[in-house]
Amino acid sequence: MAALATAAFGTALSLGATAAPAQAGDRPAAEPAATTYAAASSRSDCVNQVGTRIYRPSSDVVALKIPNVYLRQGSTGACVRYAQELLASQLGAPGPGFVDGIFGPTTNRYVRTFQGNAGLSVDGVVGPNTWYWLMTIN
């Protein structure tokens, strides 16, 4: 049994050693713009920090994994950045520097505008309902 495991391990090593390195033609000609991956990266950073929970605001919509955090003015970090990216894609960014990970007055105004447009309670807090609709509408 030990000999069989050793042989399999040796075969795996030799397979790894004989794999051809990637050629220049194997990669895309140009890297996509950084903003293409920004929301996905911020989402994963956020979820890695706070985890997720399943949320379903009503029986007529599908359940969704949302970040397990409430955000309000004064909050900072990856989850604020993710919410700002979702808000900017929905409402348009108010200018450069909006997505900075700091929940300030401008983010508060954008959250309230989004909540009003979506028919949610306008409280300026990104809680489960606001997370759900931000993630669903985008």
Side-chain angles (χ1 to χ4, degrees):
M1 196 61 111
L4 183 58
T6 303
F9 182 71
T11 302
L13 283 177
S14 68
L15 287 175
T18 59
Q23 301 297 316
D26 294 340
R27 291 184 292 256
E31 289 294 318
T35 55
T36 305
Y37 300 104
S41 175
S42 291
R43 182 183 195 288
S44 61
D45 290 347
C46 172
V47 167
N48 287 339
Q49 288 178 7
V50 301
T52 61
R53 68 181 188 166
I54 304 292
Y55 184 72
R56 184 177 189 177
S58 64
S59 61
D60 61 337
V61 296
V62 67
L64 184 68
K65 283 185 179 180
I66 62 167
N68 192 24
V69 65
Y70 284 79
L71 303 175
R72 58 187 43 89
Q73 193 159 339
S75 298
T76 61
C79 292
V80 173
R81 181 174 286 110
Y82 178 46
Q84 288 170 327
E85 288 169 354
L86 294 173
L87 289 163
S89 72
Q90 183 65 31
L91 302 172
F98 173 67
V99 179
D100 60 2
I102 301 168
F103 196 129
T106 304
T107 303
N108 187 32
R109 189 172 65 251
Y110 264 59
V111 168
R112 289 174 180 276
T113 300
F114 174 81
Q115 289 171 330
N117 292 348
L120 304 172
S121 296
V122 178
D123 60 4
V125 175
V126 182
N129 221 15
T130 303
W131 272 121
Y132 182 90
W133 292 110
L134 270 173
M135 293 172 67
T136 302
I137 292 173
N138 283 291

